[in-house]
Amino acid sequence: MNFELSQDHRVLQDAVRDFVEKEIKPIAAQIDEEHQIPDTLVRKMGEMGFMGSYLPEQYGGAGLDMLSYAIVVEEVSKACGSSGVLISAHTSLCCGPIYTFGTEEQKKKWLPALNSGDIIGCFLLTEPDAGSDAGAIATTYRREGDEFVLNGSKIFITNGGYRGTGVVFATSDKSLKHKGVSAFIIDLRSHGVEILKNEKKLGIRGSYTTAFALDNVRIPAENLLGQEGQGFKIAMDTLNGGRIGIASQALGIAEGAFERALAYSKERKQFGAPICDLQAIQFKLADMWAKIEISKLMTYKAAWLKDNKKNYTMESAMCKMLASEAATFVSHQAIQIHGGYGFICDYEVERMYRDAKITEIYEGTNEVQRVVISKLLLS
Ligand code: CAA
């Protein structure tokens, strides 16, 4: 067993850290305040290969592996959770299923512009009455000649505000539940696709969370992803991979908050000495670090399993659950260590605390992760 990163992974980690230090850290607070990631940053991340890290070079990807992708999302999220989820949702939830389930023509048509970051991808599954119960989606499709016609609504769509490319799920017959669901590649600038709103949120404010209406949207038949009726399987498989991305985002947020708390505990003097001399602070740092390390081990293991074509369903649910709970715990403790300063916006831990919360919710609440884990244990 070797727990060391390879030389290639370490080189990548250094390069991403360098980029984040120069290009993301200085504007992370601005991204939060302005509720937007500058297009110039999105373009630069595309140029760095962050938007298609584990996709093959023949489709415009960086040709790296899943562990590299986890490292990219983790390092970016140390400075900015919004930028981390932009990459994660785009790569895992849009490029991922097109690569895994798409035909050769679909991959050649859609992936290059996505992998370069010229077009931003998203995943349109959730609906007002179908959140955790993903099999209950009510958006319908019907075939008309060479087209599928979609009607319904989608909510909480990460990256939706870019109106790029999406993988959208619809049912031919709601009474069929999972078996009626199909997946389609959708151009979100198509006629009939309307943005209802971009949500205002507690955290990850630089990331779009969009509600769409789909009103007689005509999708060419060639955009069917996989087979008709295979959509629920595509959604579940995609979320298994996506959960590694969210775990990496959560891990990064936790590490970012920890770094700032550790540094602050050495600078801040109370009772005539740095507060890191107090056992009350030392115990917090120990708990925070232990949760980060266990999350990192499980996240990297899930990525390694995927890279090695082994089953990783349980590990992806576990890493997403552990890392997101570490992120909320660590950022909470980081504020506590900062005392009153942690509560004001000048100190970044306040933003990290807000950004951490969503990681316990999206790509399945942690209650859903526990369902996935326990079903596998009992099966
Ligand atoms: N991997 C592979 N297959 C899976 C699976 C998984 N994780 N979970 C279920 N399945 C399969 C089952 O094996 C079963 O297959 P068969 O029909 O062949 O037997 C089928 O799917 C139905 O399974 P269940 O009966 O267990 O399904 P269920 O209706 O009870 O739901 C669930 C299971 C785990 C709760 C699932 O609905 C789920 O994952 N819900 C959460 C949805 C979610 O994560 N939404 C997030 C939206 S995207 C997002 O948040 C992205 C973002 O913005 C960043």
Side-chain angles (χ1 to χ4, degrees):
M1 233 186 220
N2 184 357
F3 289 98
E4 297 245 334
L5 288 181
S6 69
Q7 171 73 5
D8 286 351
H9 288 119
R10 281 205 306 273
V11 168
L12 171 77
Q13 192 180 50
D14 286 345
V16 184
R17 278 184 186 163
D18 195 42
F19 177 88
V20 169
E21 203 61 37
K22 289 192 189 113
E23 304 287 350
I24 305 186
K25 217 170 167 182
I27 60 166
Q30 173 201 322
I31 289 172
D32 179 63
E33 277 159 24
E34 295 181 359
H35 293 218
Q36 196 166 25
I37 300 170
D39 289 344
T40 47
L41 175 57
V42 179
R43 207 188 58 245
K44 284 179 191 168
M45 293 198 296
E47 286 164 4
M48 287 291 288
F50 292 179
M51 306 304 281
S53 46
Y54 70 85
L55 281 298
E57 286 166 302
Q58 69 184 111
Y59 305 117
L64 303 174
D65 57 9
M66 197 68 187
L67 181 55
S68 304
Y69 161 71
I71 290 169
V72 168
V73 176
E74 176 190 353
E75 293 300 329
V76 167
S77 302
K78 278 186 192 173
C80 176
S82 295
S83 302
V85 78
L86 164 73
I87 299 170
S88 169
H90 165 90
T91 313
S92 286
L93 302 186
C94 187
C95 305
I98 295 176
Y99 175 62
T100 306
F101 296 98
T103 61
E104 193 53 31
E105 288 70 35
Q106 287 172 336
K107 291 183 213 187
K108 282 188 183 143
K109 176 172 178 187
W110 299 96
L111 287 178
L114 285 164
N115 288 335
S116 64
D118 291 343
I119 302 270
I120 301 300
C122 56
F123 180 77
L124 298 98
L125 177 67
T126 305
E127 300 180 0
D129 293 320
S132 297
D133 188 4
I137 60 168
T139 292
T140 58
Y141 78 87
R142 63 175 194 275
R143 178 107 191 208
E144 273 189 15
D146 286 343
E147 293 173 324
F148 290 101
V149 184
L150 270 64
N151 279 288
S153 61
K154 296 287 172 183
I155 60 165
F156 300 157
I157 307 305
T158 300
N159 294 345
Y162 292 103
R163 291 195 82 134
T165 297
V167 172
V168 62
F169 297 85
T171 179
S172 58
D173 178 352
K174 203 169 173 311
S175 67
L176 294 175
K177 287 278 287 181
H178 313 102
K179 300 198 187 319
V181 178
S182 296
F184 307 87
I185 305 171
I186 185 171
D187 176 348
L188 291 168
R189 293 190 186 266
S190 305
H191 187 71
V193 176
E194 188 194 344
I195 289 189
L196 298 176
K197 62 173 167 172
N198 288 309
E199 304 288 353
K200 291 190 177 139
K201 308 185 294 288
L202 173 71
I204 54 154
R205 291 183 172 168
S207 161
Y208 286 119
T209 302
T210 308
F212 285 99
L214 306 176
D215 182 13
N216 282 315
V217 179
R218 296 189 163 270
I219 296 183
E222 67 203 34
N223 288 16
L224 175 70
L225 191 59
Q227 308 297 314
E228 265 194 89
Q230 203 193 356
F232 193 75
K233 182 181 163 18
I234 293 175
M236 292 299 113
D237 185 87
T238 301
L239 288 166
N240 289 339
R243 285 167 188 156
I244 301 176
I246 298 306
S248 308
Q249 182 205 6
L251 177 60
I253 295 171
E255 289 174 300
F258 178 82
E259 280 173 13
R260 283 148 184 87
L262 181 67
Y264 185 81
S265 75
K266 293 177 184 170
E267 287 160 16
R268 172 74 171 161
K269 289 201 174 99
Q270 289 290 273
F271 308 107
I275 59 170
C276 66
D277 285 358
L278 300 169
Q279 206 173 42
I281 301 296
Q282 292 166 359
F283 280 11
K284 285 191 193 303
L285 293 169
D287 285 340
M288 291 156 83
W289 187 246
K291 285 184 197 293
I292 286 171
E293 279 294 287
I294 199 79
S295 305
K296 184 179 290 197
L297 283 171
M298 187 49 72
T299 304
Y300 286 10
K301 180 178 178 187
W304 179 87
L305 288 169
K306 187 168 182 342
D307 281 332
N308 286 280
K309 313 220 173 330
K310 294 174 192 284
N311 196 307
Y312 63 97
T313 303
M314 188 188 281
E315 286 77 5
S316 72
M318 288 196 293
C319 71
K320 158 22 194 159
M321 181 182 90
L322 290 169
S324 60
E325 288 172 7
T328 52
F329 175 84
V330 170
S331 56
H332 176 271
Q333 293 298 323
I335 292 190
Q336 209 62 20
I337 289 173
H338 280 73
Y341 291 106
F343 197 66
I344 61 174
C345 298
D346 297 356
Y347 290 78
E348 292 177 291
V349 288
E350 168 269 339
R351 170 168 47 83
M352 291 168 174
Y353 180 66
R354 290 188 286 105
D355 285 354
K357 184 58 205 166
I358 188 64
T359 64
E360 290 185 329
I361 298 170
Y362 52 17
E363 301 207 18
T365 60
N366 283 359
E367 289 68 25
V368 164
Q369 311 312 315
R370 287 174 167 87
V371 167
V372 172
I373 296 163
S374 57
K375 272 193 180 180
L376 287 169
L377 286 174
L378 295 167
S379 67

